[in-house]
mmCIF file of all heavy atoms in Angstrom:
data_model
loop_
_atom_site.group_PDB
_atom_site.id
_atom_site.type_symbol
_atom_site.label_atom_id
_atom_site.label_comp_id
_atom_site.label_asym_id
_atom_site.label_seq_id
_atom_site.Cartn_x
_atom_site.Cartn_y
_atom_site.Cartn_z
ATOM 1 N N LEU A 1 29.084 -89.914 -216.283
ATOM 2 C CA LEU A 1 27.879 -89.107 -216.073
ATOM 3 C C LEU A 1 27.229 -88.708 -217.441
ATOM 4 O O LEU A 1 27.888 -88.689 -218.406
ATOM 5 C CB LEU A 1 28.181 -87.769 -215.329
ATOM 6 C CG LEU A 1 28.896 -87.987 -213.994
ATOM 7 C CD1 LEU A 1 29.288 -86.601 -213.354
ATOM 8 C CD2 LEU A 1 28.016 -88.812 -213.016
ATOM 9 N N PRO A 2 25.960 -88.512 -217.465
ATOM 10 C CA PRO A 2 25.250 -88.034 -218.708
ATOM 11 C C PRO A 2 25.690 -86.685 -219.199
ATOM 12 O O PRO A 2 26.101 -85.899 -218.323
ATOM 13 C CB PRO A 2 23.819 -88.050 -218.323
ATOM 14 C CG PRO A 2 23.754 -87.940 -216.893
ATOM 15 C CD PRO A 2 24.877 -88.575 -216.397
ATOM 16 N N LYS A 3 25.694 -86.457 -220.388
ATOM 17 C CA LYS A 3 26.158 -85.194 -221.079
ATOM 18 C C LYS A 3 24.903 -84.434 -221.648
ATOM 19 O O LYS A 3 24.168 -85.171 -222.356
ATOM 20 C CB LYS A 3 27.181 -85.438 -222.126
ATOM 21 C CG LYS A 3 28.558 -85.901 -221.463
ATOM 22 C CD LYS A 3 29.510 -86.212 -222.514
ATOM 23 C CE LYS A 3 30.831 -86.576 -221.891
ATOM 24 N NZ LYS A 3 30.621 -87.737 -221.085
ATOM 25 N N LEU A 4 24.714 -83.275 -221.300
ATOM 26 C CA LEU A 4 23.557 -82.417 -221.853
ATOM 27 C C LEU A 4 24.093 -81.347 -222.700
ATOM 28 O O LEU A 4 25.002 -80.560 -222.384
ATOM 29 C CB LEU A 4 22.763 -81.820 -220.547
ATOM 30 C CG LEU A 4 21.662 -80.931 -220.992
ATOM 31 C CD1 LEU A 4 20.504 -81.758 -221.654
ATOM 32 C CD2 LEU A 4 21.013 -80.255 -219.795
ATOM 33 N N ASP A 5 23.669 -81.378 -223.902
ATOM 34 C CA ASP A 5 24.004 -80.425 -224.926
ATOM 35 C C ASP A 5 22.865 -79.508 -225.441
ATOM 36 O O ASP A 5 21.789 -80.120 -225.648
ATOM 37 C CB ASP A 5 24.854 -81.012 -226.112
ATOM 38 C CG ASP A 5 26.074 -81.730 -225.717
ATOM 39 O OD1 ASP A 5 26.959 -81.099 -225.099
ATOM 40 O OD2 ASP A 5 26.220 -82.952 -225.859
ATOM 41 N N GLY A 6 23.071 -78.304 -225.635
ATOM 42 C CA GLY A 6 22.098 -77.484 -226.219
ATOM 43 C C GLY A 6 22.431 -76.944 -227.551
ATOM 44 O O GLY A 6 23.571 -76.776 -227.851
ATOM 45 N N SER A 7 21.580 -76.617 -228.423
ATOM 46 C CA SER A 7 21.773 -76.039 -229.806
ATOM 47 C C SER A 7 20.774 -75.106 -230.152
ATOM 48 O O SER A 7 19.541 -75.325 -229.827
ATOM 49 C CB SER A 7 21.942 -77.204 -230.793
ATOM 50 O OG SER A 7 20.648 -77.929 -230.886
ATOM 51 N N VAL A 8 21.099 -74.086 -230.840
ATOM 52 C CA VAL A 8 20.241 -73.091 -231.389
ATOM 53 C C VAL A 8 20.731 -72.719 -232.956
ATOM 54 O O VAL A 8 21.980 -72.491 -232.999
ATOM 55 C CB VAL A 8 20.275 -71.691 -230.539
ATOM 56 C CG1 VAL A 8 19.352 -70.667 -231.220
ATOM 57 C CG2 VAL A 8 19.770 -72.023 -229.123
ATOM 58 N N MET A 9 19.762 -72.775 -233.789
ATOM 59 C CA MET A 9 20.170 -72.532 -235.223
ATOM 60 C C MET A 9 19.102 -71.570 -235.739
ATOM 61 O O MET A 9 17.931 -71.744 -235.595
ATOM 62 C CB MET A 9 20.200 -73.704 -235.882
ATOM 63 C CG MET A 9 20.558 -73.763 -237.405
ATOM 64 S SD MET A 9 20.671 -75.144 -238.274
ATOM 65 C CE MET A 9 18.968 -75.815 -238.272
ATOM 66 N N GLY A 10 19.568 -70.574 -236.445
ATOM 67 C CA GLY A 10 18.734 -69.677 -237.303
ATOM 68 C C GLY A 10 19.058 -69.754 -238.698
ATOM 69 O O GLY A 10 20.279 -69.993 -239.186
ATOM 70 N N LEU A 11 17.916 -69.715 -239.570
ATOM 71 C CA LEU A 11 18.080 -69.826 -241.023
ATOM 72 C C LEU A 11 17.609 -68.511 -241.685
ATOM 73 O O LEU A 11 16.752 -67.950 -241.224
ATOM 74 C CB LEU A 11 17.257 -71.018 -241.512
ATOM 75 C CG LEU A 11 17.564 -72.444 -240.999
ATOM 76 C CD1 LEU A 11 16.684 -73.381 -241.629
ATOM 77 C CD2 LEU A 11 19.038 -72.798 -241.456
ATOM 78 N N TYR A 12 18.440 -68.219 -242.736
ATOM 79 C CA TYR A 12 17.866 -67.106 -243.613
ATOM 80 C C TYR A 12 18.335 -67.418 -245.011
ATOM 81 O O TYR A 12 19.379 -67.481 -245.444
ATOM 82 C CB TYR A 12 18.713 -65.807 -243.157
ATOM 83 C CG TYR A 12 18.097 -64.600 -244.054
ATOM 84 C CD1 TYR A 12 16.951 -63.885 -243.506
ATOM 85 C CD2 TYR A 12 18.625 -64.168 -245.221
ATOM 86 C CE1 TYR A 12 16.419 -62.728 -244.084
ATOM 87 C CE2 TYR A 12 18.156 -63.062 -245.884
ATOM 88 C CZ TYR A 12 17.005 -62.385 -245.331
ATOM 89 O OH TYR A 12 16.507 -61.305 -246.045
ATOM 90 N N MET A 13 17.328 -68.013 -245.714
ATOM 91 C CA MET A 13 17.539 -68.531 -247.137
ATOM 92 C C MET A 13 16.517 -67.871 -248.043
ATOM 93 O O MET A 13 15.499 -67.347 -247.568
ATOM 94 C CB MET A 13 17.438 -70.040 -247.144
ATOM 95 C CG MET A 13 18.503 -70.727 -246.355
ATOM 96 S SD MET A 13 18.183 -72.528 -246.278
ATOM 97 C CE MET A 13 18.343 -72.949 -248.018
ATOM 98 N N LYS A 14 16.821 -67.841 -249.313
ATOM 99 C CA LYS A 14 15.840 -67.301 -250.277
ATOM 100 C C LYS A 14 14.586 -68.257 -250.279
ATOM 101 O O LYS A 14 14.712 -69.449 -250.036
ATOM 102 C CB LYS A 14 16.558 -67.076 -251.620
ATOM 103 C CG LYS A 14 16.855 -68.365 -252.418
ATOM 104 C CD LYS A 14 17.422 -68.088 -253.733
ATOM 105 C CE LYS A 14 17.716 -69.426 -254.383
ATOM 106 N NZ LYS A 14 18.227 -69.132 -255.851
ATOM 107 N N ASP A 15 13.523 -67.730 -250.854
ATOM 108 C CA ASP A 15 12.325 -68.554 -250.883
ATOM 109 C C ASP A 15 12.522 -69.806 -251.761
ATOM 110 O O ASP A 15 13.079 -69.772 -252.785
ATOM 111 C CB ASP A 15 11.179 -67.654 -251.479
ATOM 112 C CG ASP A 15 10.862 -66.474 -250.592
ATOM 113 O OD1 ASP A 15 11.386 -66.539 -249.455
ATOM 114 O OD2 ASP A 15 10.164 -65.571 -251.073
ATOM 115 N N GLN A 16 11.955 -70.980 -251.206
ATOM 116 C CA GLN A 16 12.045 -72.124 -251.913
ATOM 117 C C GLN A 16 10.686 -72.485 -252.611
ATOM 118 O O GLN A 16 9.659 -72.401 -251.907
ATOM 119 C CB GLN A 16 12.431 -73.310 -250.905
ATOM 120 C CG GLN A 16 13.793 -72.931 -250.293
ATOM 121 C CD GLN A 16 14.987 -73.138 -251.197
ATOM 122 O OE1 GLN A 16 14.988 -73.962 -252.072
ATOM 123 N NE2 GLN A 16 15.764 -72.086 -251.127
ATOM 124 N N ASP A 17 10.676 -72.913 -253.773
ATOM 125 C CA ASP A 17 9.470 -73.150 -254.469
ATOM 126 C C ASP A 17 9.091 -74.782 -254.227
ATOM 127 O O ASP A 17 9.826 -75.555 -254.612
ATOM 128 C CB ASP A 17 9.598 -72.950 -255.988
ATOM 129 C CG ASP A 17 8.268 -73.206 -256.695
ATOM 130 O OD1 ASP A 17 7.323 -72.552 -256.553
ATOM 131 O OD2 ASP A 17 8.194 -74.252 -257.436
ATOM 132 N N ILE A 18 7.915 -74.952 -253.741
ATOM 133 C CA ILE A 18 7.534 -76.348 -253.473
ATOM 134 C C ILE A 18 6.131 -76.491 -254.076
ATOM 135 O O ILE A 18 5.129 -75.919 -253.478
ATOM 136 C CB ILE A 18 7.461 -76.599 -251.916
ATOM 137 C CG1 ILE A 18 8.840 -76.494 -251.365
ATOM 138 C CG2 ILE A 18 7.038 -78.042 -251.656
ATOM 139 C CD1 ILE A 18 8.908 -76.658 -249.806
ATOM 140 N N MET A 19 6.149 -77.037 -255.119
ATOM 141 C CA MET A 19 4.839 -77.352 -255.898
ATOM 142 C C MET A 19 4.040 -76.135 -256.005
ATOM 143 O O MET A 19 2.772 -75.978 -255.927
ATOM 144 C CB MET A 19 4.014 -78.381 -255.094
ATOM 145 C CG MET A 19 4.656 -79.813 -255.014
ATOM 146 S SD MET A 19 3.681 -80.983 -254.188
ATOM 147 C CE MET A 19 2.362 -81.270 -255.240
ATOM 148 N N GLY A 20 4.676 -75.036 -256.518
ATOM 149 C CA GLY A 20 4.008 -73.758 -256.837
ATOM 150 C C GLY A 20 3.802 -72.847 -255.603
ATOM 151 O O GLY A 20 3.415 -71.782 -255.786
ATOM 152 N N ASN A 21 4.167 -73.287 -254.423
ATOM 153 C CA ASN A 21 4.090 -72.534 -253.150
ATOM 154 C C ASN A 21 5.527 -72.196 -252.767
ATOM 155 O O ASN A 21 6.452 -72.880 -252.977
ATOM 156 C CB ASN A 21 3.405 -73.275 -252.071
ATOM 157 C CG ASN A 21 2.007 -73.616 -252.446
ATOM 158 O OD1 ASN A 21 1.251 -72.811 -253.075
ATOM 159 N ND2 ASN A 21 1.573 -74.855 -252.141
ATOM 160 N N ASN A 22 5.564 -71.020 -252.004
ATOM 161 C CA ASN A 22 6.873 -70.589 -251.552
ATOM 162 C C ASN A 22 7.056 -70.910 -250.020
ATOM 163 O O ASN A 22 6.252 -70.734 -249.234
ATOM 164 C CB ASN A 22 6.909 -69.044 -251.631
ATOM 165 C CG ASN A 22 7.022 -68.615 -253.102
ATOM 166 O OD1 ASN A 22 7.536 -69.264 -253.994
ATOM 167 N ND2 ASN A 22 6.399 -67.475 -253.407
ATOM 168 N N LEU A 23 8.168 -71.575 -249.838
ATOM 169 C CA LEU A 23 8.593 -71.862 -248.415
ATOM 170 C C LEU A 23 9.463 -70.804 -247.988
ATOM 171 O O LEU A 23 10.635 -70.581 -248.500
ATOM 172 C CB LEU A 23 9.193 -73.299 -248.318
ATOM 173 C CG LEU A 23 9.660 -73.717 -246.930
ATOM 174 C CD1 LEU A 23 8.462 -73.852 -245.982
ATOM 175 C CD2 LEU A 23 10.495 -74.990 -247.018
ATOM 176 N N LEU A 24 9.180 -69.991 -246.889
ATOM 177 C CA LEU A 24 9.928 -68.940 -246.464
ATOM 178 C C LEU A 24 10.745 -69.297 -245.245
ATOM 179 O O LEU A 24 10.175 -69.665 -244.177
ATOM 180 C CB LEU A 24 8.975 -67.749 -246.013
ATOM 181 C CG LEU A 24 7.965 -67.335 -247.115
ATOM 182 C CD1 LEU A 24 7.087 -66.167 -246.571
ATOM 183 C CD2 LEU A 24 8.633 -66.936 -248.379
ATOM 184 N N LEU A 25 12.057 -69.257 -245.436
ATOM 185 C CA LEU A 25 13.046 -69.667 -244.248
ATOM 186 C C LEU A 25 13.742 -68.464 -243.873
ATOM 187 O O LEU A 25 14.922 -68.422 -243.520
ATOM 188 C CB LEU A 25 13.999 -70.744 -244.858
ATOM 189 C CG LEU A 25 13.362 -71.947 -245.277
ATOM 190 C CD1 LEU A 25 14.410 -72.932 -245.933
ATOM 191 C CD2 LEU A 25 12.605 -72.689 -244.193
ATOM 192 N N ARG A 26 13.241 -67.287 -243.819
ATOM 193 C CA ARG A 26 13.824 -66.005 -243.399
ATOM 194 C C ARG A 26 13.431 -65.820 -241.991
ATOM 195 O O ARG A 26 12.370 -65.435 -241.630
ATOM 196 C CB ARG A 26 13.294 -64.924 -244.180
ATOM 197 C CG ARG A 26 13.594 -65.011 -245.647
ATOM 198 C CD ARG A 26 12.995 -63.814 -246.426
ATOM 199 N NE ARG A 26 13.242 -64.034 -247.921
ATOM 200 C CZ ARG A 26 12.743 -63.154 -248.866
ATOM 201 N NH1 ARG A 26 12.058 -62.065 -248.500
ATOM 202 N NH2 ARG A 26 12.978 -63.400 -250.156
ATOM 203 N N GLY A 27 14.430 -66.114 -241.061
ATOM 204 C CA GLY A 27 14.135 -65.965 -239.732
ATOM 205 C C GLY A 27 13.642 -67.259 -239.009
ATOM 206 O O GLY A 27 13.393 -67.240 -237.747
ATOM 207 N N THR A 28 13.732 -68.503 -239.648
ATOM 208 C CA THR A 28 13.298 -69.633 -239.088
ATOM 209 C C THR A 28 14.384 -69.992 -238.040
ATOM 210 O O THR A 28 15.618 -69.869 -238.285
ATOM 211 C CB THR A 28 13.135 -70.757 -240.129
ATOM 212 O OG1 THR A 28 12.144 -70.300 -241.090
ATOM 213 C CG2 THR A 28 12.734 -72.058 -239.429
ATOM 214 N N TYR A 29 14.045 -70.683 -236.932
ATOM 215 C CA TYR A 29 14.920 -71.083 -235.978
ATOM 216 C C TYR A 29 14.537 -72.500 -235.329
ATOM 217 O O TYR A 29 13.431 -72.877 -235.459
ATOM 218 C CB TYR A 29 14.931 -69.966 -234.757
ATOM 219 C CG TYR A 29 13.590 -69.913 -233.970
ATOM 220 C CD1 TYR A 29 13.399 -70.826 -232.846
ATOM 221 C CD2 TYR A 29 12.617 -68.970 -234.359
ATOM 222 C CE1 TYR A 29 12.239 -70.676 -232.239
ATOM 223 C CE2 TYR A 29 11.520 -68.979 -233.677
ATOM 224 C CZ TYR A 29 11.214 -69.785 -232.611
ATOM 225 O OH TYR A 29 10.002 -69.766 -231.938
ATOM 226 N N VAL A 30 15.688 -73.096 -234.944
ATOM 227 C CA VAL A 30 15.419 -74.424 -234.393
ATOM 228 C C VAL A 30 16.300 -74.397 -233.029
ATOM 229 O O VAL A 30 17.507 -74.049 -233.023
ATOM 230 C CB VAL A 30 16.039 -75.522 -235.200
ATOM 231 C CG1 VAL A 30 15.795 -76.870 -234.556
ATOM 232 C CG2 VAL A 30 15.205 -75.539 -236.603
ATOM 233 N N ALA A 31 15.746 -74.783 -231.909
ATOM 234 C CA ALA A 31 16.455 -74.933 -230.668
ATOM 235 C C ALA A 31 16.194 -76.279 -230.066
ATOM 236 O O ALA A 31 15.045 -76.902 -230.261
ATOM 237 C CB ALA A 31 15.844 -73.838 -229.600
ATOM 238 N N GLY A 32 17.164 -76.824 -229.400
ATOM 239 C CA GLY A 32 17.058 -78.159 -228.787
ATOM 240 C C GLY A 32 17.961 -78.508 -227.656
ATOM 241 O O GLY A 32 18.979 -77.929 -227.474
ATOM 242 N N LEU A 33 17.636 -79.478 -226.949
ATOM 243 C CA LEU A 33 18.438 -80.152 -226.024
ATOM 244 C C LEU A 33 18.613 -81.584 -226.317
ATOM 245 O O LEU A 33 17.662 -82.248 -226.699
ATOM 246 C CB LEU A 33 17.808 -79.925 -224.527
ATOM 247 C CG LEU A 33 17.690 -78.538 -224.053
ATOM 248 C CD1 LEU A 33 16.856 -78.488 -222.700
ATOM 249 C CD2 LEU A 33 19.040 -77.859 -223.804
ATOM 250 N N ASN A 34 19.783 -82.088 -225.899
ATOM 251 C CA ASN A 34 20.060 -83.533 -226.182
ATOM 252 C C ASN A 34 20.852 -84.058 -224.991
ATOM 253 O O ASN A 34 21.826 -83.462 -224.535
ATOM 254 C CB ASN A 34 21.002 -83.709 -227.428
ATOM 255 C CG ASN A 34 21.089 -85.209 -227.792
ATOM 256 O OD1 ASN A 34 20.132 -85.824 -228.156
ATOM 257 N ND2 ASN A 34 22.324 -85.790 -227.716
ATOM 258 N N LEU A 35 20.463 -85.226 -224.389
ATOM 259 C CA LEU A 35 20.956 -85.854 -223.292
ATOM 260 C C LEU A 35 21.515 -87.239 -223.689
ATOM 261 O O LEU A 35 20.742 -88.030 -224.085
ATOM 262 C CB LEU A 35 19.935 -85.987 -222.054
ATOM 263 C CG LEU A 35 20.512 -86.568 -220.805
ATOM 264 C CD1 LEU A 35 21.464 -85.579 -220.085
ATOM 265 C CD2 LEU A 35 19.252 -86.816 -219.765
ATOM 266 N N THR A 36 22.792 -87.393 -223.413
ATOM 267 C CA THR A 36 23.402 -88.681 -223.854
ATOM 268 C C THR A 36 24.004 -89.325 -222.610
ATOM 269 O O THR A 36 24.724 -88.750 -221.876
ATOM 270 C CB THR A 36 24.520 -88.437 -224.910
ATOM 271 O OG1 THR A 36 23.935 -87.699 -226.074
ATOM 272 C CG2 THR A 36 25.104 -89.752 -225.362
ATOM 273 N N GLN A 37 23.748 -90.676 -222.497
ATOM 274 C CA GLN A 37 24.204 -91.399 -221.360
ATOM 275 C C GLN A 37 24.853 -92.749 -221.894
ATOM 276 O O GLN A 37 24.185 -93.470 -222.514
ATOM 277 C CB GLN A 37 23.027 -91.739 -220.450
ATOM 278 C CG GLN A 37 23.506 -92.780 -219.275
ATOM 279 C CD GLN A 37 24.554 -92.094 -218.403
ATOM 280 O OE1 GLN A 37 24.340 -91.173 -217.726
ATOM 281 N NE2 GLN A 37 25.775 -92.788 -218.249
#
């Protein structure tokens, strides 16, 4: 049978400098589902 997996990830990192701009990763989240057969 196929397998269904879920994932949730939260990030809290210091600001990242990208070409003079700040990338804010304080409270960024990633959620997903993956189905494997």
Side-chain angles (χ1 to χ4, degrees):
L1 307 177
K3 294 178 175 59
L4 180 64
D5 298 302
S7 62
V8 177
M9 180 180 64
L11 297 177
Y12 189 89
M13 299 175 59
K14 69 178 183 178
D15 298 349
Q16 303 293 316
D17 182 72
I18 300 180
M19 300 180 65
N21 298 319
N22 293 327
L23 181 65
L24 306 182
L25 298 176
R26 302 174 184 178
T28 302
Y29 63 90
V30 180
L33 294 172
N34 188 70
L35 183 69
T36 304
Q37 173 64 59

